Structure formats: structure tokens, C-alpha cells
Amino acid sequence: MPTSFQTRWPSLPYVLPFAVFVVFLALQQYSPLSVTIDYPLRVVILAVVLWVFSRNVIDLRCSQTLWTVLLGVAVFAIWVAPDILFPAYRQYWLFQNSMLGHLNNKVPSEVLTSPIVLWSRIIRAVVLVPILEELFWRGWLMRWIISPRFQEVKLGTYSPAAFWITAVLFASEHGGYWDVGLIAGIAYNWWMIRTKSLGDCILAHAVTNACLCWYVVATHHWEYWN
């Protein structure tokens, strides 16, 4: 992205990819395209947006690679544990209601039969989502809450308000999985404060999502992808 854009709208590289992703999710059921075209197209668009607007602020360097991977695996275990230990856990109104929506185990048949669609979902979850979400939540929002001049706030700077507001909003993004989303948000926030590294948070998030993709495909618990 040209430096002039970054100087004029410093939040843009952090916010725009996430905004595009949220719009895609909101409009997913209204797409006139078949999923075999729609899913790969969205992956391409998200990748282009990240490259054009955000490549100058993406830092994939890790300082604690082993512990970061272990954290990602731990968050995955926490994510699926309630449903494994208590199968009816998410049937309560706290997780399925008119505001949060309803979880189901149905997935379009095209996803099951098309390798292109399946791999598009996996690439989006493992490669793109960790980058665009970490840019937004921990690269931008945690700092912007501390000061609108967020560029002057170092990555991983601790503020109770920034920490908990970010964690709660991150949880709300995950609908009926808000409880484990909150734990994940706390874990990723803590890791950002501990490592001061966007790359470590991206890797932890990617590992969690990779494990979750494996679990979904292996067990056919497609509700995690709704």
C-alpha cells in the first residue's frame, strides 16, 4: 500500500480487511453465485485486499514459536472440549437464541463434494482469517482503545479497558461459541502482551484454526463452520 494512504488513514490497513470479511459473512446467504464459485472468489478478494492495503503492516516474525504453537493447540482443545464432554451443552438458550442465531450440522452438499470449496474454506480459516483478525483485534483495536493515535502505542501495551473490551468484542464475533471465544480472546490478548509480537498471535490463531479445520473435516461437526 502506498505510504501516503497509510499516513492519511493509518487505521485502514488494520480495519479494511476485517470489514470486508464481516461483509462477506453477512451477505453469504444472499450471494447469487454457486458456492463453488463464491467461496474461492472470496478467498481471492480477501487475499488481494490484504496484499494491496495491509502488506506494510503485516509482520509474521515470531519470537516464541514453540510456545505459540502450544497455545494455539490449547485454545483449540478449549474450543471443542465443552461439546465433547457435554454433547447437549450448546442447546441452552445462552448459546442459541434470536440474537445469537442457531447452530446446525448442515452444510451445502457442494462443500462435501467439491475439493475447491473445501480447500477454500480451509485456506480462509488457516491463512487469511488469522492475519486479518489479528491485525484488527490486537494490532489495532487494543491500541486504539488506549489512544486514537494508536501508532504511538506499542504492540502489547497493557490497559485493563483495552484488554477486556477487545476480549468481549472478540467473543461476540463468534455467536453461539461466545464462551470459548471469550477464553480465546483472553488467551490471544495475553499472548500479545507477553510477546509484543503480531506474528506470534497470527501463528497461534492459525494453529487453532488449523486444528479446528482438521476436527471439522474428520468428525463432520460442520456446525463449527456455520
Side-chain angles (χ1 to χ4, degrees):
M1 185 181 67
T3 305
S4 58
F5 274 86
Q6 204 166 336
T7 301
R8 188 171 181 181
W9 299 295
S11 295
L12 190 67
Y14 298 89
V15 176
L16 182 62
F18 181 77
V20 172
F21 173 64
V22 170
V23 169
F24 279 168
L25 291 180
L27 299 179
Q28 184 166 290
Q29 61 181 323
Y30 304 108
S31 175
L33 303 174
S34 68
V35 295
T36 54
I37 297 174
D38 186 52
Y39 279 54
L41 180 61
R42 293 181 187 216
V43 168
V44 171
I45 292 173
L46 282 173
V48 170
V49 170
L50 280 168
W51 175 254
V52 173
F53 293 97
S54 306
R55 67 179 184 271
N56 290 339
V57 298
I58 296 173
D59 186 354
L60 300 178
R61 293 173 295 178
C62 297
S63 61
Q64 302 283 339
T65 303
L66 176 60
W67 289 109
T68 294
V69 170
L70 292 176
L71 176 66
V73 174
V75 171
F76 157 72
I78 291 170
W79 199 279
V80 300
D83 303 310
I84 294 174
L85 297 175
F86 311 103
Y89 176 71
R90 273 180 216 288
Q91 301 306 313
Y92 294 107
W93 66 269
L94 279 172
F95 307 109
Q96 299 196 62
N97 52 58
S98 58
M99 184 171 65
L100 296 175
H102 297 274
L103 304 173
N104 62 72
N105 202 35
K106 296 179 180 179
V107 67
S109 60
E110 295 93 331
V111 174
L112 301 177
T113 59
S114 171
I116 293 176
V117 175
L118 188 63
W119 280 104
S120 295
R121 293 292 304 253
I122 293 171
I123 290 170
R124 187 183 72 177
V126 177
V127 179
L128 300 180
V129 168
I131 295 174
L132 64 88
E133 287 202 343
E134 292 308 316
L135 281 175
F136 178 79
W137 293 114
R138 278 152 284 275
W140 178 74
L141 187 62
M142 275 185 71
R143 294 193 288 166
W144 184 85
I145 292 172
I146 295 173
S147 170
R149 300 175 68 176
F150 73 96
Q151 317 96 296
E152 301 174 3
V153 180
K154 292 183 178 180
L155 284 169
T157 299
Y158 176 71
S159 158
F163 185 99
W164 289 106
I165 290 173
T166 300
V168 169
L169 291 177
F170 182 81
S172 70
E173 179 198 2
H174 292 88
Y177 295 95
W178 62 265
D179 55 333
V180 287
L182 178 61
I183 296 173
I186 292 171
Y188 296 150
N189 286 359
W190 169 75
W191 201 233
M192 173 60 85
I193 292 167
R194 181 72 180 270
T195 64
K196 317 292 184 185
S197 167
L198 183 65
D200 280 285
C201 285
I202 290 173
L203 178 59
H205 202 148
V207 169
T208 298
N209 286 6
C211 291
L212 192 57
C213 284
W214 164 81
Y215 181 78
V216 167
V217 174
T219 65
H220 294 181
H221 279 283
W222 306 106
E223 67 272 15
Y224 288 105
W225 274 2
N226 288 331

